[in-house]
Amino acid sequence: MIIWHDVEQGSPEWHALRKPLWTGSRAIRLLQGKPFMEEAVFAGNNATRRGHMLEVVALREYERKYGRKVQRPGFVTNTIYSNAGYSPDAIDGGWLLECKAFSGVRHEDLVAEKIPLTVQVQIFFGMIITGKRKARLLAYNPEVVGYDPLTVIEITYDKLIGNNIRSKLRLDMKKRRSI
């Protein structure tokens, strides 16, 4: 069963929910077979502050472009994977939305659909936890000149990577039960 937690991202309740769990930001470590590590409390830096600020703008532009309102759930867990949770940027019906507000070459690469593995894994992880089978990556950069600052890229679920994530989550659950 998928559980939608009504908590504000970044709040103490949100941090408490995600603390013991594999999350989208930790998913690459899981896929690489690295051990679980609790995240240190991270106050952010200029890049993350820019990303959080522009996420709101990107979602507003997405809503304008598609003519509908998106949902902003705080945190999602799935009883199939009791060791995992995910913080979606937004949900649009059957679509999981992930926003990235990179600048420079990193943004240009996203627009060219050269999506870093860490971003792909984060999205596939989110699809598994939320039960969504479709995802859109919103690449947003207001500093671009000559084209729309919002590029929407449809992400096709990769069964090989997804099955690997699922397998590693199940293995981790077994390890946690034996401790």
Side-chain angles (χ1 to χ4, degrees):
M1 177 168 61
I2 297 165
I3 302 163
W4 302 84
H5 301 270
D6 186 21
V7 295
E8 184 179 337
Q9 290 187 18
S11 69
E13 297 82 10
W14 178 81
H15 281 289
L17 277 170
R18 63 182 271 124
K19 185 177 180 176
L21 305 176
W22 288 101
T23 61
S25 57
R26 295 177 180 139
I28 191 67
R29 289 185 61 81
L30 175 73
L31 188 66
Q32 294 168 335
K34 294 181 179 177
F36 179 84
M37 288 177 49
E38 286 187 15
E39 293 174 341
V41 175
F42 178 59
N45 57 32
N46 287 340
T48 58
R49 282 188 284 279
R50 177 184 187 274
H52 289 297
M53 180 186 70
L54 292 177
E55 177 181 305
V56 174
V57 180
L59 289 169
R60 188 175 62 229
E61 286 300 306
Y62 175 89
E63 289 175 330
R64 185 186 56 74
K65 187 174 197 166
Y66 286 87
R68 54 188 175 260
K69 189 100 172 114
V70 300
Q71 296 174 313
R72 302 285 314 268
F75 196 69
V76 180
T77 53
N78 185 322
T79 56
I80 295 172
Y81 304 104
S82 59
N83 57 340
Y86 187 72
S87 302
D89 290 337
I91 301 291
D92 178 15
W95 295 93
L96 172 69
L97 305 180
E98 179 64 37
C99 300
K100 295 298 176 192
F102 297 152
S103 57
V105 173
R106 291 180 73 204
H107 176 75
E108 291 168 15
D109 283 349
L110 284 184
V111 170
E113 298 190 24
K114 297 179 200 166
I115 303 166
L117 182 62
T118 55
V119 173
Q120 292 179 52
V121 170
Q122 180 181 18
I123 293 170
F124 299 147
F125 184 90
M127 293 168 87
I128 290 166
I129 302 306
T130 64
K132 301 295 180 189
R133 291 293 160 248
K134 302 183 292 184
R136 289 182 172 141
L137 173 60
L138 282 54
Y140 186 76
N141 184 355
E143 298 149 2
V144 297
V145 178
Y147 62 92
D148 190 340
L150 176 66
T151 301
V152 179
I153 304 160
E154 292 190 4
I155 303 296
T156 303
Y157 184 74
D158 185 303
K159 285 184 181 179
L160 184 64
I161 295 173
N163 287 343
N164 197 348
I165 291 169
R166 290 172 192 275
S167 166
K168 298 220 167 134
L169 282 170
R170 285 190 294 271
L171 181 62
D172 178 73
M173 283 191 303
K174 286 180 186 174
K175 282 185 197 173
R176 288 179 186 220
R177 278 189 229 125
S178 68
I179 295 175

